[in-house]
Amino acid sequence: MPTKKCVQNLLFIALGALTFISCKSTELVYIKVLEPAPVTIPAYVKNIGVVNRTTVTSQNKALDVVDKIFSLEGKQLDKEGAQSSVSGLADELRKNNRFNDVKELGELDLTTNAPGLFSAPLSWETVDKICRENHVDALFSLELFDTDSKISYAAIPVSLNTPLGKVPGIEHQASMLTNIKTGWRIYDPASRNILDEFPVSRNLTFSGRGINPAAAAGALINRKEAVKQASAQAAQYYGMRIIPYRTRVTRDYYVKGTDNFRTARRKAQTGNWDGAAELWKKETTNASKSVAGRACYNMAIICEINGELELAIKWSQKAYEEYNNRLALKYIRLLKNRQAGNALLQQQQVQ
């Protein structure tokens, strides 16, 4: 049984927690914002080529063959997987209205001297030649493709059905983890810039069963199509790096200070943000600096919700400069970052 002192301590902690919750002066609002893509493609890039540069140079082929033997790779697995990556990216980019033409360029005798790693970038002379001959403005180049597989075995006691009835036996189980590593570069010959260099990985797990280890392992060999599909999906994911995306962010807003704040809170909870803003605006001239600062800060929040970032910055500046509202200073920096992001968005959305 808990002692009287123990009960008193627990009651004190509970009351303290309730007091903390009841005294919380802010709540969270969720806002959806459009973020700029991680990669910006210049407006003058209208036609693009997608190339495969993962063929291993002759002086490195011996090393590559040894690697494939030890990693249990099929003879054509990397070649076909790389081709699926190129096709997957080309298909994804064709969905984007940003480009006039997307060309999947075939064998161009482009090689790598670092299997499984990023090689040194292509020379600009090579990039210029490919772009000129194929009438494209930029190259998306698959510069890394490698599959690495690890296999493990387990022997599980089972009951086997035989003409003489069930007898104890051993079932061999094999599992294989295949890691697909891809890496892309985007070459812009006009500016002599590599616009992006980015690796993408995918893991696939396969399993097989058999009466002996060889039979269990044999059940793993039909994985080529799965590898090709995963390679295409990884390339499609990479293609999203040039597309702006929506995300959800949180903002604190004040819900306590006066009766108007409490009423505004209820309006905000029902989605009536304009009604809440009318009440907050009345409090921006409150004789209490703390209340006025909170109201100015909340006005900045409603301005951001309405997409008026410049006005939101002005309200935040007033909240901090005139009323020393601490949340406002952090919010000003956040809003200015959003402004810079919007400027980049405008560049990315130029057709």
Side-chain angles (χ1 to χ4, degrees):
M1 291 288 292
T3 65
K4 182 178 180 181
K5 184 176 180 181
C6 230
V7 172
Q8 288 175 337
N9 286 341
L10 289 172
L11 182 60
F12 176 77
I13 292 170
L15 287 173
L18 287 172
T19 301
F20 175 78
I21 293 170
S22 64
C23 289
K24 186 170 174 58
S25 59
T26 63
E27 286 186 357
L28 289 178
V29 58
Y30 295 90
I31 305 174
K32 284 188 176 181
V33 300
L34 185 63
E35 294 284 359
V39 181
T40 300
I41 305 296
Y44 53 77
V45 175
K46 299 297 184 183
N47 302 309
I48 59 173
V50 186
V51 299
N52 178 11
R53 192 204 172 188
T54 61
T55 301
V56 181
T57 55
S58 56
Q59 59 264 38
N60 286 282
K61 279 190 176 179
L63 175 63
D64 189 50
V65 168
V66 171
D67 175 67
K68 283 177 168 51
I69 290 172
F70 281 103
S71 60
L72 306 173
E73 293 170 17
K75 185 177 180 181
Q76 296 295 316
L77 191 59
D78 278 7
K79 182 178 180 180
E80 295 185 26
Q83 184 54 51
S84 293
S85 289
V86 170
S87 298
L89 180 62
D91 290 342
E92 184 65 31
L93 296 177
R94 290 187 185 107
K95 299 175 186 175
N96 190 340
N97 295 329
R98 171 68 181 75
F99 304 112
N100 294 338
D101 192 17
V102 177
K103 297 181 179 180
E104 186 178 337
L105 305 181
E107 296 295 332
L108 295 178
D109 198 28
L110 299 176
T111 59
T112 177
N113 56 11
L117 301 171
F118 273 105
S119 290
L122 292 169
S123 70
W124 288 113
E125 291 75 13
T126 300
V127 173
D128 283 335
K129 183 175 183 293
I130 294 172
C131 290
R132 184 174 60 253
E133 291 178 352
N134 293 278
H135 308 290
V136 295
D137 305 312
L139 288 182
F140 284 66
S141 178
L142 178 64
E143 309 245 329
L144 183 163
F145 188 94
D146 188 54
T147 53
D148 182 59
S149 300
K150 292 180 174 60
I151 191 167
S152 59
Y153 291 99
I156 309 297
V158 295
S159 294
L160 301 176
N161 292 319
T162 72
L164 300 177
K166 290 187 176 182
V167 298
I170 298 293
E171 179 182 74
H172 294 267
Q173 298 180 356
S175 61
M176 179 187 293
L177 175 66
T178 297
N179 176 249
I180 305 169
K181 294 190 296 182
T182 63
W184 294 89
R185 284 193 181 112
I186 304 175
Y187 294 90
D188 175 18
S191 66
R192 287 294 196 264
N193 281 327
I194 295 176
L195 302 178
D196 192 34
E197 179 180 295
F198 192 75
V200 182
S201 294
R202 285 286 185 275
N203 285 325
L204 295 175
T205 302
F206 305 90
S207 60
R209 301 166 183 258
I211 59 173
N212 55 55
L220 304 176
I221 62 174
N222 296 319
R223 71 191 198 281
K224 184 183 291 185
E225 289 304 315
V227 169
K228 289 166 62 177
Q229 183 179 4
S231 301
Q233 290 172 348
Q236 290 163 357
Y237 169 80
Y238 177 72
M240 302 299 288
R241 283 179 59 76
I242 67 169
I243 301 175
Y245 61 97
R246 291 200 173 273
T247 187
R248 193 170 74 159
V249 298
T250 59
R251 302 286 186 259
D252 284 293
Y253 71 101
Y254 288 102
V255 295
K256 291 191 175 182
T258 65
D259 286 343
N260 275 339
F261 275 87
R262 285 183 279 275
T263 303
R265 176 193 185 187
R266 294 194 293 274
K267 289 181 179 294
Q269 288 174 334
T270 64
N272 184 7
W273 289 96
D274 290 338
E278 289 177 7
L279 297 176
W280 292 332
K281 194 166 186 179
K282 291 178 181 179
E283 298 296 342
T284 58
T285 56
N286 194 294
S288 166
K289 286 191 172 184
S290 174
V291 171
R294 290 183 176 192
C296 289
Y297 172 86
N298 278 10
M299 289 303 297
I301 294 291
I302 192 64
C303 287
E304 185 187 14
I305 289 173
N306 292 332
E308 301 170 313
L309 294 186
E310 189 64 41
L311 193 54
I313 290 173
K314 289 180 180 178
W315 277 114
S316 295
Q317 287 173 330
K318 183 173 183 178
Y320 180 69
E321 293 172 5
E322 297 184 21
Y323 303 113
N324 196 30
N325 184 282
R326 296 294 179 181
L327 281 182
L329 180 59
K330 179 182 177 181
Y331 193 35
I332 290 168
R333 299 190 188 105
L334 188 152
L335 290 169
K336 288 186 174 179
N337 284 338
R338 275 211 62 200
Q339 267 192 330
N342 282 355
L344 188 56
L345 271 171
Q346 289 181 350
Q347 294 180 37
Q348 294 177 349
Q349 293 172 336
V350 172
Q351 297 295 320

